[in-house]
Amino acid sequence: MKRIILTTALALTVSACSISPKPLTTGSVKSFADDKLARVTAQQEPITKGITIHEAMARALKYNLDFHVEIFNESLAARKLETARLDTLPKLATSALYSGRDNNSGNKNSILFPDREKFQEDISLSWNILDFGLSYVRAQQAADQVLVAEENRRKIINRVIEDVRTAYWRAVSADRLVKGLRALEGRAKRALKNSEKLQLDGEASPLTALTYQRELVEIQQRIQRLQKDLSLAKLQLAALMNIRPGEHFQLAAPKSGVHDNSLDMDGEEMVFAALENRPEIRDIQYKLRINAKESKRALLELLPGVNLFASANWDSDSYLYNSNWVGWGARATWNVMQVFKYPAQKRLIAAEEEVLDARALAVTMAIITQVHVSRVRYGHSHKLYHTARKHLKVQKGILKQIRISNDEGQASEQTLIREEMNTLASQVAADIAYADLQNAYANIFASMGLDPYPGKFDTNQSVDSLASSLKGMWIERGDKSGITSAMASAKRFRAQQGHVHAVTNKTSTYNKDPFVKETKDWGDLRTGSVTRKKGNFLRDVMGLGKPNTSKTPQIINNDR
């Protein structure tokens, strides 16, 4: 018997030592790749029409894989919390034992010997009071980890929505540029060839011909640089919506319409709202709570553990008077080494708190900077867009006059082509300025930590349903968007500063921002029409002096 046991143990030991690394096989790698390629865009609603800005945001929220990772992380944290809750319950265990020996137990004078082979069974219920306390603290920490995962999800949503808005408007600009280039490319090439032919034939002076060619090439270079900036926008938008590269889809032309909305908040109020709403600062607050609970856990580990137990038992030994019985008891244990470990644990917890506090200060400064940068960026973007729109208006006026002159035979076809290319370049520059303005607009809300989607996100919603919710929120940007929360934060800030007054959405006064006015038509960009309204956002941001009654152009936004 002993030889059998020794041989078995030796065989198991040798087999354990014989384990070696096994690299992936070509077949397994191919199978893995095929599976992922088949699933990466599976179960997505087909694209049956031009994608609007709100549908693009909806598709990004529903299908973006980076966002899905955060959703699964949040779900994982919730499952860990469920497990931590179950750890607080008493332990109920059942066991069965078979034992045997090759000779009798006892001494030489024994008359009765226990059975050489016997079975034992028991069911025991035990509850360690110290383990319950530690498990309860761990469950509280797991609950905070769920909230940390939720804040990470909020951060990803803000980033995805901001990226989608930027990529969408740049992709629209790219589409417009491509259409314009198709119409002009052939004519521009013919104009260059005609100019070269006139130069060679001596019908035009070399300087005049070369100057014209240089102007035309410079315009082509300008357009190509703009095209380079925009060329990746549609690929980036496709990636955000989880559409395979190369798959064709169209973007819907924005419809006309006007919507007004303003936010009366100055820079300090926006900072205060951001410090209450930004996921980065909330993440640190939750981690500070987790670290504080770690202190409680370290203190609990100093206490002795008391284990209460009760069990029902059965033994097959034929010489026992009672083969069935119920037992109970209590056992106290104390790990004395924990007393010596506690000072080191306490220092570790204090060091963690110092790190988190320092990180909170760094994040606070970063948030303050981001809020003010978003305001300045919005001001600059608004100014650049207004300038680009004015340039486009002037260029269209020039083109109109050139066309009239061309119809009357006073301007050449080459001059007309040059001005048409100038107009195209000006149009694209205005489009890019508008896309940057859209990004700056979304960044204002992101800098304050306002959720870009109303309520709890449901991955089972259809794209149309999500798009409808997003459309209503981005047009109104009211209660559903978190603005009410931001305004409440601003009101609390004012109360702390001793300047309590109602926050309204009327025309701004000095120190307030006429925050945003959204109109709905790219035609406004093309025609140069824009609604004007009193306000001082640029003055507040750019420091342009005292308030005055002059009218400043409002932001244009295609969100309806």
Side-chain angles (χ1 to χ4, degrees):
M1 185 67 178
K2 292 181 180 179
R3 290 182 177 178
I4 295 174
I5 294 174
L6 290 173
T7 303
T8 303
L10 181 62
L12 291 173
T13 302
V14 171
S15 63
C17 294
S18 65
I19 296 175
S20 59
K22 291 183 179 180
L24 296 171
T25 64
T26 303
S28 65
V29 170
K30 182 179 182 302
S31 176
F32 184 86
D34 290 342
D35 175 65
K36 297 302 173 284
L37 283 173
R39 292 170 52 199
V40 70
T41 56
Q43 297 179 348
Q44 292 186 184
E45 294 182 32
I47 300 171
T48 57
K49 57 185 179 181
I51 297 177
T52 64
I53 177 66
H54 305 102
E55 184 179 347
M57 291 191 286
R59 284 186 173 274
L61 289 180
K62 188 172 176 65
Y63 301 125
N64 184 271
L65 298 181
D66 289 336
F67 181 51
H68 277 205
V69 170
E70 294 304 324
I71 291 177
F72 287 125
N73 279 336
E74 188 177 358
S75 177
L76 177 62
R79 301 290 85 76
K80 288 181 178 179
L81 174 58
E82 290 179 5
T83 303
R85 286 172 179 163
L86 294 175
D87 287 340
T88 62
L89 298 176
K91 292 181 174 63
L92 179 64
T94 179
S95 64
L97 171 69
Y98 164 78
S99 62
R101 55 183 298 159
D102 62 349
N103 54 26
N104 293 324
S105 64
N107 56 49
K108 294 181 180 180
N109 298 323
S110 298
I111 299 175
L112 300 175
F113 299 98
D115 295 341
R116 291 188 180 184
E117 295 184 354
K118 59 181 180 179
F119 295 92
Q120 294 175 320
E121 296 176 358
D122 69 79
I123 299 176
S124 62
L125 178 68
S126 62
W127 188 47
N128 190 301
I129 298 176
L130 178 59
D131 285 348
F132 168 77
L134 293 173
S135 297
Y136 182 76
V137 173
R138 292 190 190 101
Q140 288 181 317
Q141 291 175 316
D144 285 336
Q145 288 290 356
V146 173
L147 298 173
V148 168
E150 183 178 336
E151 296 304 323
N152 288 333
R153 176 181 58 80
R154 288 182 59 225
K155 182 167 62 177
I156 292 295
I157 286 180
N158 264 309
R159 191 198 73 193
V160 168
I161 291 297
E162 188 177 353
D163 290 347
V164 166
R165 288 181 70 88
T166 302
Y168 181 87
W169 292 115
R170 292 179 74 86
V172 169
S173 303
D175 280 354
R176 289 158 60 98
L177 175 60
V178 168
K179 291 176 183 177
L181 280 178
R182 285 174 184 168
L184 280 176
E185 193 171 13
R187 293 173 61 197
K189 287 180 179 179
R190 286 195 298 273
L192 279 173
K193 287 182 179 179
N194 289 338
S195 176
E196 292 171 358
K197 185 175 183 300
L198 290 173
Q199 179 187 352
L200 293 173
D201 294 343
E203 297 180 20
S205 67
L207 182 59
T208 302
L210 290 172
T211 300
Y212 174 79
Q213 292 170 29
R214 183 189 64 185
E215 290 176 353
L216 211 58
V217 170
E218 285 176 348
I219 297 170
Q220 284 182 325
Q221 286 178 334
R222 180 184 170 196
I223 292 175
Q224 287 168 3
R225 283 194 295 269
L226 293 171
Q227 190 176 21
K228 177 186 176 183
D229 292 339
L230 298 174
S231 60
L232 298 179
K234 203 163 186 178
L235 284 174
Q236 292 168 347
L237 181 61
L240 289 166
M241 295 189 296
N242 201 43
I243 298 174
R244 286 179 182 268
E247 183 175 337
H248 177 71
F249 63 93
Q250 291 182 338
L251 302 178
K255 296 180 181 179
S256 61
V258 178
H259 181 77
D260 298 331
N261 199 5
S262 62
L263 176 64
D264 292 334
M265 296 178 70
D266 61 26
E268 290 184 348
E269 291 168 349
M270 288 175 65
V271 167
F272 193 81
L275 291 176
E276 285 197 347
N277 294 300
R278 282 287 290 269
E280 295 88 347
I281 201 72
R282 288 188 175 190
D283 174 86
I284 294 176
Q285 287 177 285
Y286 288 131
K287 288 179 179 177
L288 282 168
R289 280 193 351 193
I290 292 170
N291 194 61
K293 291 180 177 68
E294 194 68 26
S295 299
K296 293 182 181 179
R297 196 172 80 167
L299 284 172
L300 285 173
E301 288 177 341
L302 292 175
L303 302 176
V306 178
N307 190 48
L308 307 176
F309 62 88
S311 63
N313 306 273
W314 175 80
D315 195 315
S316 66
D317 194 334
S318 58
Y319 292 98
L320 289 176
Y321 184 75
N322 289 305
S323 59
N324 297 286
W325 72 95
V326 175
W328 60 87
R331 175 180 295 170
T333 58
W334 185 31
N335 186 353
V336 181
M337 294 303 296
Q338 285 298 130
V339 176
F340 301 100
K341 288 172 61 178
Y342 178 72
Q345 287 180 313
K346 187 176 180 181
R347 289 192 296 271
L348 175 61
I349 293 167
E352 287 279 356
E353 185 175 358
E354 289 177 356
V355 170
L356 289 171
D357 184 63
R359 186 176 299 166
L361 292 174
V363 169
T364 300
M365 178 53 70
I367 288 173
I368 293 171
T369 303
Q370 288 167 10
V371 168
H372 285 281
V373 166
S374 69
R375 287 164 55 85
V376 173
R377 180 184 173 193
Y378 176 85
H380 280 297
S381 298
H382 186 278
K383 187 176 180 180
L384 289 171
Y385 167 70
H386 182 59
T387 303
R389 185 180 56 80
K390 286 177 63 177
H391 184 275
L392 176 60
K393 183 178 180 181
V394 171
Q395 179 58 42
K396 285 186 174 181
I398 293 173
L399 178 61
K400 182 179 179 181
Q401 296 300 320
I402 292 296
R403 281 177 175 165
I404 293 173
S405 299
N406 179 259
D407 292 341
E408 295 174 353
Q410 296 177 1
S412 65
E413 180 71 13
Q414 288 86 350
T415 303
L416 177 61
I417 292 172
R418 180 186 64 196
E419 294 308 323
E420 285 180 345
M421 293 185 69
N422 269 325
T423 303
L424 177 62
S426 182
Q427 177 71 71
V428 174
D431 288 351
I432 292 175
Y434 181 78
D436 292 340
L437 186 59
Q438 286 290 326
N439 181 252
Y441 167 70
N443 186 252
I444 284 281
F445 293 99
S447 70
M448 288 193 292
L450 304 182
D451 293 332
Y453 182 77
K456 188 72 175 178
F457 178 74
D458 183 7
T459 55
N460 295 321
Q461 282 184 271
S462 67
V463 170
D464 288 341
S465 175
L466 286 172
S468 178
S469 298
L470 285 161
K471 180 178 180 179
M473 188 205 67
W474 277 95
I475 290 175
E476 297 172 5
R477 204 61 187 176
D479 290 346
K480 294 179 182 179
S481 71
I483 285 292
T484 298
S485 174
M487 301 295 268
S489 301
K491 188 174 181 180
R492 287 193 293 275
F493 173 77
R494 288 177 181 142
Q496 290 179 8
Q497 300 297 316
H499 301 291
V500 182
H501 60 273
V503 178
T504 63
N505 280 332
K506 298 179 182 179
T507 302
S508 64
T509 57
Y510 186 60
N511 242 354
K512 299 295 183 290
D513 298 341
F515 186 59
V516 59
K517 177 182 179 181
E518 296 190 78
T519 62
K520 303 303 177 202
D521 197 3
W522 276 77
D524 287 348
L525 186 151
R526 292 192 291 273
T527 60
S529 61
V530 60
T531 305
R532 294 173 176 266
K533 186 177 181 180
K534 290 183 180 179
N536 64 356
F537 180 87
L538 292 180
R539 182 181 66 253
D540 184 39
V541 173
M542 307 299 293
L544 298 181
K546 297 180 180 179
N548 55 59
T549 58
S550 63
K551 296 181 179 180
T552 55
Q554 275 296 73
I555 181 174
I556 295 177
N557 198 346
N558 281 326
D559 270 334
R560 180 173 254 170

